[in-house]
């Protein structure tokens, strides 16, 4: 019988962390989340109840800004130029920049024109802008 002698008979201690079990657990969790994520985003059709809350009352003297299909602006009943918008709003709101502006636009007005008017309102300091629309009869509770 041949016996080999090693110089060092004591076992060496390994100071490295064994990451193989950690990687196994992470991969299992990844697979679980990949399977479970689509199941949690399923769109289930639900018939939601209607709100019984009443609409907020309009102010006594609202400021209406109207954008027509020919790109002209009207403040209340008066036609104004786009260059005069800030001055006309200052007059109509008596300088109160916190007063809401009710913006009405024809449905044939392109989106870019509406955004341009909203940018003019923002640059004039009017940040409370409400878009006005019609309420359909079928949506009422």
């Amino acid at each position: 019988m041949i016996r080999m002698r090693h110089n060092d008979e004591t076992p060496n201690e390994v100071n490295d962390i064994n990451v193989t079990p950690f990687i196994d657990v992470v991969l299992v969790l990844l697979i679980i989340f990949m399977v479970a994520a689509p199941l949690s985003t399923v769109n289930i059709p639900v018939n939601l109840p209607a709100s019984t809350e009443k609409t907020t009352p309009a102010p006594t003297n609202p400021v209406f800004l109207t954008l027509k299909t020919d790109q002209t602006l009207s403040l209340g009943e008066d036609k104004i130029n786009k260059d005069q918008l800030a001055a006309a709003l200052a007059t109509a709101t008596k300088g109160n920049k916190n007063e809401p502006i009710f913006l009405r636009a024809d449905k044939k007005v392109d989106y870019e024109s509406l955004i341009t008017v909203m940018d003019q309102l923002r640059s004039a300091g009017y940040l409370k802008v409400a878009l006005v629309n019609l309420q359909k009869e079928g949506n009422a509770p």
Side-chain angles (χ1 to χ4, degrees):
M1 170 178 323
I2 300 175
R3 189 168 185 178
M4 296 184 74
R5 276 193 127 197
H6 296 291
N7 292 340
D8 191 10
E9 299 269 339
T10 62
N12 293 335
E13 290 184 19
V14 179
N15 294 330
D16 295 335
I17 297 174
N18 188 3
V19 294
T20 305
F22 176 71
I23 292 173
D24 290 342
V25 169
V26 169
L27 288 176
V28 168
L29 287 174
L30 178 67
I31 292 170
I32 289 172
F33 287 127
M34 286 174 56
V35 170
L39 297 176
S40 66
T41 59
V42 174
N43 189 9
I44 300 173
V46 176
N47 188 10
L48 297 175
S51 174
T52 58
E53 190 66 30
K54 295 180 182 177
T55 59
T56 57
T60 55
N61 293 323
V63 178
F64 284 104
L65 181 65
T66 306
L67 179 62
K68 298 179 186 173
T69 55
D70 58 354
Q71 307 300 317
T72 58
L73 288 173
S74 296
L75 187 61
E77 299 291 326
D78 304 324
K79 284 188 177 184
I80 59 169
N81 289 333
K82 290 184 179 183
D83 301 336
Q84 301 170 340
L85 179 61
L89 282 172
T91 304
T93 61
K94 299 178 182 93
N96 183 7
K97 304 267 185 189
N98 289 326
E99 186 168 342
I101 307 298
F102 293 93
L103 180 59
R104 303 182 321 159
D106 193 279
K107 63 179 163 182
K108 293 183 181 175
V109 170
D110 60 309
Y111 190 66
E112 183 179 4
S113 300
L114 182 66
I115 295 300
T116 302
V117 172
M118 290 181 71
D119 285 342
Q120 288 177 332
L121 289 170
R122 188 178 308 121
S123 66
Y126 294 95
L127 301 178
K128 293 185 178 181
V129 178
L131 298 176
V132 178
N133 65 336
L134 295 177
Q135 187 172 1
K136 291 184 179 181
E137 293 291 325
N139 292 345

